[in-house]
């Protein structure tokens, strides 16, 4: 007979209606998020463009200010050749009287023009006269032929150069122009101007202004820590060139660390600035100063732009939420109106049926009460069966341990039995021969052997019997000793070093002796299994008091328990042992037993790499009879 084809179960009409409604809500939410995201993007772009235009205007103003400042001094070096004493000094460099007159003249011109220094250099690059001739570190006699502006002027090209002075370390812009007489070059006139005073007008809150040279080295900045840093790492050839010209003298020229995050269509870019404004996003714009190959960089703080975009997003989102609430409110009003109308129509019918409904409800409640009573009885029976099954599992675990110990127990009993047989035969012979003293010694030894065998079987009988669920004060040390007795043979055979430490010898816990011993035997057995391939093998048991709790810790030096396995240790039928060597019930039963005592069983890793199980039990002051 052919099997019937499987039937496709379609959702009911109310189910399909709920699915459609959920899909509409999801679609509406996505549309609202899309509109809010568009508002975010539009506001961000508009605010960024507004910020860019404002920054571009400031940048133009800074560029014009710089050009105006430099243009005031551009003509000054060329006018020095009009002084006859300057021409004469270059023709007669050994005339000290003439040098003094030129020094005084340069000092006066420097004072009137408010420049930093003015000096005259011969064709060999040696300074012949200077406006700072009175200073101890006067430029007179210095050789500046290595400076690029001097080399350019000697090649008949007016020189312009920004650098750090090698004498005083003062930065400035150098104007250089050749000095000619009758068409023949006699030397070079140089004017040094301090342009760092422009930086005081560049402080714009969190915005940053940089001025870089042709190599990208920052020599003017509104951020003092950024001066003499490179926008990008300099090549070895550029570093060599700057070293020869001593343009920045002793400064290291380390990279500044500005990272470009995103380019914009208008030539600007979004960058991330270095410390002290680490991780700050800024809008970067550049403006080239072509004649001098300089470049202005203006960094605008994007925090107001981001705040505007967030506010636009939140405002749009809240507006959409308000509109949606108004729509829902209108729908709810219409729905309530229809419900009121139906309620008025059903009111009379409900009133007529009220008595019958009350009677039906009363009967229903009575039936429910009866059902709940029956369910309560069933639940109590189930709990009783569960406790009985758990007790059976505990007993089965004990029997399994006894089965594993059978070989060791047989060995322990075999030796005393053999000795009993031998010594009883010897005693009979000694009595027949009249050697009663020696026969008494044999009988005493036989009694001791019988006592030893009785102690062994007594421990096994106490471990094997079922225990009740009552709790009483139990000496923790005695329970540990009794549990250790059952695994003592295996500890000796596997050469395990056992160590026990007790904070106090009179620690009592509220529990059942037999079931506590079962938990300890299970923990000891697991520890011995874990240390099968370990070296050294150390089994440690420690007992202490902590906040009205008796703490029993069982530690081993095995491979430990990974975190992923530790989360499932106390689940029934979970085991890491090979198939056939365990059912995965030992720890689950042990955890349940400790929990019934009102305590906890915990597992954690040790600092030495092994595992540690901690038993927490309610403390008891003394053992009752």
């Amino acid at each position: 007979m052919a099997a019937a084809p499987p039937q496709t179960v379609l959702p009911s009409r109310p189910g399909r209606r709920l699915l459609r409604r959920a899909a509409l809500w999801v679609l509406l939410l996505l549309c609202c998020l899309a509109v809010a995201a568009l508002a975010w993007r539009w506001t961000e772009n508009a605010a960024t463009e507004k910020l860019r235009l404002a920054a571009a205007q400031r940048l133009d103003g800074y560029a014009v200010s710089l050009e105006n400042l430099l243009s005031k001094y551009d003509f000054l070096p060329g006018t020095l050749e009009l002084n006859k004493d300057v021409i004469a000094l270059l023709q007669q460099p050994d005339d000290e009287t003439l040098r003094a007159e030129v020094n005084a003249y340069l000092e006066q011109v420097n004072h009137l023009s408010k420049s930093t220094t003015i000096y005259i250099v011969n064709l060999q690059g040696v300074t012949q006269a200077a406006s700072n001739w009175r200073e101890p570190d006067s430029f007179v006699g210095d050789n500046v032929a290595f400076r690029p502006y001097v080399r350019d002027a000697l090649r008949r090209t007016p020189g312009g150069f920004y650098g750090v002075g090698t004498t005083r370390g003062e930065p400035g812009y150098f104007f250089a122009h050749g000095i000619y007489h009758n068409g023949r070059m006699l030397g070079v006139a140089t004017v040094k101007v301090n342009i760092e005073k422009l930086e005081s007008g560049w402080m714009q809150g969190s915005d940053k202004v940089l001025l870089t040279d042709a190599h990208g080295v920052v020599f003017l900045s509104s951020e003092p820590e950024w001066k003499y840093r490179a926008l990008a790492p300099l090549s070895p050839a550029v570093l060599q060139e700057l070293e020869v010209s001593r343009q920045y003298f002793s400064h290291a020229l380390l990279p500044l660390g500005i990272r470009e995050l995103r380019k914009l269509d208008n030539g600007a870019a979004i960058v991330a600035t270095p410390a002290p404004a680490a991780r700050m996003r800024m809008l970067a714009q550049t403006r080239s100063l072509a004649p001098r190959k300089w470049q202005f960089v203006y960094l605008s703080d994007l925090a107001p732009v981001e705040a505007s975009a967030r506010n636009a997003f939140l405002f749009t989102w809240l507006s959409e939420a308000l509109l949606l609430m108004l729509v829902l409110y209108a729908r709810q009003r219409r729905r309530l109106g229809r419900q009121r109308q139906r309620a008025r129509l059903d009111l009379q019918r409900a009133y007529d049926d009220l008595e019958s409904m009350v009677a039906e409800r009363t009967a229903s409640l009575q039936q429910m009460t009866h059902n709940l009573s029956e369910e309560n009885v069933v639940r109590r029976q189930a709990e009783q069966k569960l406790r009985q099954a758990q007790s059976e599992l505990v007993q089965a675990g004990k029997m399994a341990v006894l089965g594993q110990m059978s070989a060791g127990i047989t060995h322990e009993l075999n030796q005393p039995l053999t000795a009993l047989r031998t010594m009883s035969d010897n005693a009979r012979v000694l009595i027949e021969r009249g050697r009663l003293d020696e026969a008494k010694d044999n009988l005493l030894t036989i009694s001791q052997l019988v006592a030893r065998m009785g102690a062994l079987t007594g421990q096994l009988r106490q471990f094997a019997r079922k225990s009740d669920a009552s709790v009483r004060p139990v000496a923790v040390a005695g329970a540990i000793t009794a549990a250790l007795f059952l695994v003592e043979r295996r500890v000796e055979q596997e050469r395990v070093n056992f160590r026990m430490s007790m904070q106090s010898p009179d620690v009592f816990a509220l529990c059942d002796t037999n079931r506590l011993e079962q938990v300890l035997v299970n923990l000891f057995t697991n520890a011995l299994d874990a240390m099968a391939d370990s070296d050294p093998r150390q089994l440690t048991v420690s007992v202490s008091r902590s906040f009205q709790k008796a703490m029993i810790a069982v530690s081993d030096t095995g491979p430990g328990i990974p975190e992923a396995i530790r989360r499932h240790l106390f689940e029934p039928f979970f085991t890491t042992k090979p198939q056939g060597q365990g059912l995965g019930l030992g720890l689950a039963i042990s955890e349940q037993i400790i929990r019934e005592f009102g305590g906890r069983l915990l597992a954690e890793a040790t600092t030495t790499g092994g595992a540690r199980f901690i038993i927490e039990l309610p403390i008891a002051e003394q053992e009752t009879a």
Side-chain angles (χ1 to χ4, degrees):
M1 183 176 180
Q7 297 181 355
T8 302
V9 179
L10 297 176
S12 62
R13 181 173 299 175
R16 291 197 296 270
R17 187 181 299 114
L18 289 176
L19 289 176
R20 286 197 299 269
R21 184 176 299 175
L24 288 175
W25 276 107
V26 171
L27 181 60
L28 181 60
L29 179 61
L30 292 177
C31 291
C32 292
L33 286 175
V35 173
L38 289 176
W40 174 299
R41 178 59 64 186
W42 183 87
T43 304
E44 184 181 41
N45 292 339
T48 301
E49 181 63 18
K50 182 178 179 181
L51 184 66
R52 186 191 69 81
L53 293 176
Q57 292 178 357
R58 295 193 190 100
L59 200 54
D60 290 338
Y62 296 151
V64 171
S65 299
L66 179 61
E67 289 295 342
N68 290 338
L69 176 63
L70 296 179
S71 63
K72 292 194 304 183
Y73 297 94
D74 199 15
F75 72 96
L76 186 58
T79 62
L80 296 180
E81 65 180 0
L82 302 178
N83 187 281
K84 296 180 180 180
D85 291 338
V86 173
I87 300 297
L89 177 61
L90 292 175
Q91 292 175 338
Q92 303 173 25
D94 296 330
D95 190 339
E96 295 300 326
T97 302
L98 193 58
R99 190 187 314 279
E101 293 178 358
V102 175
N103 284 336
Y105 168 71
L106 296 179
E107 183 179 25
Q108 182 181 10
V109 173
N110 184 69
H111 177 72
L112 294 175
S113 64
K114 297 182 180 180
S115 57
T116 302
T117 312
I118 303 176
Y119 51 98
I120 305 298
V121 179
N122 63 14
L123 297 178
Q124 289 73 38
V126 179
T127 304
Q128 301 299 308
S131 61
N132 61 354
W133 63 278
R134 298 179 186 273
E135 303 296 332
D137 52 357
S138 170
F139 291 176
V140 178
D142 291 349
N143 191 330
V144 293
F146 61 89
R147 288 292 199 177
Y149 61 89
V150 176
R151 296 199 302 266
D152 291 341
L154 291 176
R155 289 194 292 266
R156 299 179 179 273
T157 301
F161 178 78
Y162 184 89
V164 178
T166 58
T167 302
R168 298 183 180 181
E170 295 180 354
Y173 187 79
F174 297 83
F175 296 89
H177 192 279
I179 300 177
Y180 300 89
H181 181 66
N182 296 330
R184 185 171 65 88
M185 178 179 284
L186 299 179
V188 175
T190 303
V191 177
K192 180 181 180 182
V193 179
N194 185 359
I195 62 176
E196 287 193 322
K197 57 186 178 182
L198 293 174
E199 291 178 333
S200 60
W202 291 357
M203 303 301 177
Q204 298 291 334
S206 58
D207 291 354
K208 316 294 179 186
V209 184
L210 313 176
L211 184 60
T212 65
D213 63 7
H215 303 300
V217 177
V218 179
F219 60 88
L220 289 183
S221 173
S222 60
E223 191 72 31
E225 291 82 0
W226 292 3
K227 290 184 66 173
Y228 308 117
R229 305 282 294 273
L231 295 181
L234 302 177
S235 64
V238 173
L239 290 174
Q240 180 65 25
E241 177 184 346
L242 295 176
E243 179 68 23
V244 172
S245 65
R246 301 183 192 177
Q247 182 174 358
Y248 299 106
F249 200 37
S250 60
H251 295 285
L253 306 181
L254 299 175
L256 183 55
I258 294 179
R259 295 184 295 106
E260 183 177 288
L261 302 178
R262 176 165 56 94
K263 280 188 174 295
L264 303 180
D265 296 336
N266 47 29
I270 305 297
V271 299
T273 59
R279 295 182 296 277
M280 178 182 289
R281 295 173 68 250
M282 306 192 80
L283 175 67
Q285 297 183 80
T286 60
R287 183 64 48 84
S288 298
L289 302 179
R292 295 177 176 83
K293 298 182 181 180
W294 291 352
Q295 181 173 259
F296 263 114
V297 180
Y298 194 95
L299 301 176
S300 305
D301 187 7
L302 286 175
V305 174
E306 296 171 349
S308 299
R310 285 195 301 269
N311 293 337
F313 179 85
L314 292 176
F315 178 77
T316 304
W317 182 255
L318 291 176
S319 300
E320 292 171 342
L322 179 60
L323 180 61
L324 182 59
M325 290 174 63
L326 291 175
V327 173
L328 292 177
Y329 177 74
R331 291 186 59 189
Q332 186 67 17
R333 287 292 300 271
R334 290 195 299 269
R335 184 181 301 170
L336 288 176
R338 292 193 297 267
Q339 290 177 353
R340 291 193 193 99
Q341 186 177 2
R342 288 195 298 269
R344 283 193 298 268
L345 296 175
D346 296 338
L347 182 59
Q348 186 63 39
R349 186 189 307 168
Y351 180 77
D352 296 336
D353 297 338
L354 181 59
E355 291 296 333
S356 60
M357 291 176 60
V358 170
E360 292 176 359
R361 177 60 64 184
T362 302
S364 176
L365 290 175
Q366 291 176 350
Q367 183 64 33
M368 290 175 61
T369 303
H370 179 70
N371 293 340
L372 288 175
S373 299
E374 292 181 350
E375 290 180 1
N376 191 24
V377 172
V378 173
R379 181 181 60 80
R380 291 179 180 177
Q381 292 176 353
E383 290 179 352
Q384 183 177 2
K385 291 180 179 179
L386 178 61
R387 285 193 294 269
Q388 182 178 359
Q390 181 184 355
S391 177
E392 294 296 334
L393 286 175
V394 172
Q395 189 66 18
K398 294 179 180 180
M399 294 300 103
V401 172
L402 290 175
Q404 295 175 0
M405 297 168 52
S406 61
I409 297 302
T410 300
H411 177 75
E412 291 292 336
L413 294 178
N414 188 46
Q415 290 181 349
L417 288 174
T418 303
L420 285 174
R421 181 177 179 181
T422 302
M423 299 192 74
S424 62
D425 292 339
N426 291 340
R428 179 176 55 81
V429 173
L430 291 173
I431 292 174
E432 291 176 353
R433 296 180 180 179
R435 298 163 60 182
L436 299 181
D437 292 336
E438 295 180 12
K440 290 180 181 180
D441 292 339
N442 280 5
L443 293 175
L444 179 62
T445 303
I446 289 172
S447 176
Q448 293 174 350
L449 290 175
V450 171
R452 175 183 173 186
M453 294 172 63
L456 179 61
T457 57
Q459 290 284 351
L460 294 176
R461 183 170 57 256
Q462 180 183 359
F463 180 78
R465 71 177 179 84
K466 292 185 178 180
S467 59
D468 54 17
S470 62
V471 296
R472 62 185 183 85
V474 173
V476 174
I480 295 174
T481 302
L484 182 63
F485 175 81
L486 298 175
V487 297
E488 181 179 8
R489 179 64 180 173
R490 185 175 174 186
V491 170
E492 294 176 355
Q493 289 179 344
E494 298 181 6
R495 298 181 179 178
V496 176
N497 183 20
F498 178 79
R499 182 190 304 169
M500 181 172 175
S501 62
M502 295 192 65
Q503 187 183 69
S504 174
D506 56 347
V507 177
F508 290 85
L510 285 174
C511 60
D512 175 72
T513 304
N514 214 27
R515 291 201 289 172
L516 177 59
E517 292 175 8
Q518 167 65 17
V519 173
L520 291 172
V521 169
N522 185 43
L523 295 182
F524 291 165
T525 304
N526 288 346
L528 295 175
D529 292 342
M531 294 187 295
D533 299 323
S534 299
D535 188 18
R537 302 174 185 175
Q538 174 75 44
L539 178 60
T540 304
V541 180
S542 60
V543 181
S544 61
R545 295 170 177 258
S546 177
F547 300 104
Q548 298 302 315
K549 294 286 185 180
M551 312 290 290
I552 307 173
V554 180
S555 306
D556 61 62
T557 56
I561 306 173
E563 177 63 25
I565 295 178
R566 196 156 58 242
R567 290 196 295 266
H568 303 283
L569 273 180
F570 302 112
E571 296 178 2
F573 303 105
F574 177 82
T575 180
T576 59
K577 297 180 180 180
Q579 186 174 3
Q581 295 187 13
L583 296 177
L585 292 174
L587 288 178
I589 294 174
S590 299
E591 193 272 339
Q592 179 65 25
I593 291 173
I594 299 301
R595 187 149 35 91
E596 288 184 356
F597 295 157
R600 293 191 304 167
L601 177 60
L602 309 173
E604 60 183 27
T606 64
T607 57
T608 58
R612 176 166 55 239
F613 286 84
I614 300 175
I615 301 174
E616 294 183 3
L617 292 172
I619 200 73
E621 293 302 325
Q622 63 181 357
E623 185 178 10
T624 59

